[in-house]
Amino acid sequence: MDLNIVMVLQDMVLAAIPAVGFALLFNVPKHSLGYCAMGGAIGHGLRFVLTHEGMRIEWATLIAATLVSFIGVYWARRLLAHPKVFTVAAIIPMIPGKPAFTAMLALFEISRSGFSTDLQATLTTNFLQMSFIVAALALGLAMPGLIYRKPII
Amino acid sequence: MTGGGAQDFTEPEQRKLTRLCMQTAQLLMQHGAESALVENVTVRMGEALGLEKIQLGITANALSLTTLTDEHCITTVRRNIDGGINMHVVTEVQRLMLRAERREITLGQVERQLNEIKPLHYNKWLLCVMIGLSCASFARLMGADWTSCAVAGVASALSMLVRLTLSIWHFNPMLNFTITAFVATSLAGLSVPLAIGEQPRMAMAASVLLLIPGYPLINAVSDMLKGYANTGLSRWIVALLLVLAASVGIFMALSLWKIKLWI
């Protein structure tokens, strides 16, 4: 399936909604909500394009999270607020919910119906994928803090 | 007041400034700021108010702060009680510090404005609706059909209501997460026997995503990378326990209702 602008836009809109939802949950100031939405859309949209072009999801997540965190630094300087105010909500759409839940289901199934190599394989691959994506998100977000030595604002 | 550089203060004055610095640190720590930010803002606030040196010790449950001026030290320790993630408070405190640093406001104004900072809380119903929509979007991003998305949306909106109600009653957060995950999985799991939607598994996966402990996880990693291993570790453990608590709720629901999702 070829990548077209409609698919990317749909993905970005779908990612913007959870970014705002979680920003509300974190009690982000009202005027920052739009930036959270934009960050969410940019991050997930970029990851969507990169994985569609054949990049591994872990690398795509790392690149997208890093980009979002640097955009967050730019906004932080302009709006005088800590970058995490924008970026944590913005990376929420990239949280690996599906691998996490699949791993959990496999674990549950092993405990209910006994060990099988298939279930163990599902558990391990999904758990590893989840761990690497979470690590990529965390590392990507921490990137500006590791590179800039002075406080951002 | 607040002239440049270190000044000499009388003891009551220094006490007052120490209290202001501690209030700054406490507000930040209680509302989910990472340790590097807490230390940075507090130290700069103290310097802006004219103190010579400010030393802040951060642990997960308590803050200790020493201010130094004209060879006199004052140390104070405060309990740190979790006030819930509130980025509004963090932003306001940081902006106040920046204004004090630029000498735009006087000591009296700093004191008054610091006391005026109240946590912002969004409307409960707005939160439920938005979290419902968020989880529906998660389901769609995972590739579920629209009916399963609707299931995820309704299940998560209702479980968000449960979560908020329990947190208003000051339930233990772990117990809260277990109950909320149980409710979410049970509601989304209803779509299996009722045959609503084609991907009940994704509906269930998306409906529990409202329980992601985003800030504890991210702050834990940031803290550990920036040399605050002790607070980082305790944040990490809290986040892990919350995830574990949610998993317990999911397991209970799957096992109690005998939901079969595996082929």
Side-chain angles (χ1 to χ4, degrees), chain A residues 53-94:
Chain A
E53 295 301 319
M55 189 183 275
R56 284 184 62 91
I57 191 161
E58 295 86 347
W59 278 107
T61 307
L62 182 63
I63 292 170
T66 309
L67 178 74
V68 167
S69 64
F70 278 101
I71 295 175
V73 170
Y74 172 70
W75 286 338
R77 286 189 174 138
R78 272 190 45 199
L79 301 160
L80 299 183
H82 194 252
K84 290 236 158 68
V85 173
F86 317 107
T87 52
V88 175
I91 58 123
I92 290 283
M94 290 194 273

Side-chain angles (χ1 to χ4, degrees), chain A residues 4-103:
Chain A
N4 61 49
I5 191 78
V6 179
M7 282 158 66
V8 178
L9 281 179
Q10 190 195 348
D11 185 86
M12 289 172 83
V13 171
L14 280 173
I17 298 169
V20 176
F22 276 80
L24 292 174
L25 200 57
F26 300 146
N27 299 300
V28 163
K30 280 191 192 78
H31 54 264
S32 305
L33 290 174
Y35 294 94
C36 295
M38 260 194 279
I42 293 168
H44 202 280
L46 177 65
R47 185 174 84 163
F48 178 72
V49 173
L50 289 177
T51 47
H52 211 277
E53 295 301 319
M55 189 183 275
R56 284 184 62 91
I57 191 161
E58 295 86 347
W59 278 107
T61 307
L62 182 63
I63 292 170
T66 309
L67 178 74
V68 167
S69 64
F70 278 101
I71 295 175
V73 170
Y74 172 70
W75 286 338
R77 286 189 174 138
R78 272 190 45 199
L79 301 160
L80 299 183
H82 194 252
K84 290 236 158 68
V85 173
F86 317 107
T87 52
V88 175
I91 58 123
I92 290 283
M94 290 194 273
I95 288 278
K98 199 171 161 187
F101 196 75
T102 313

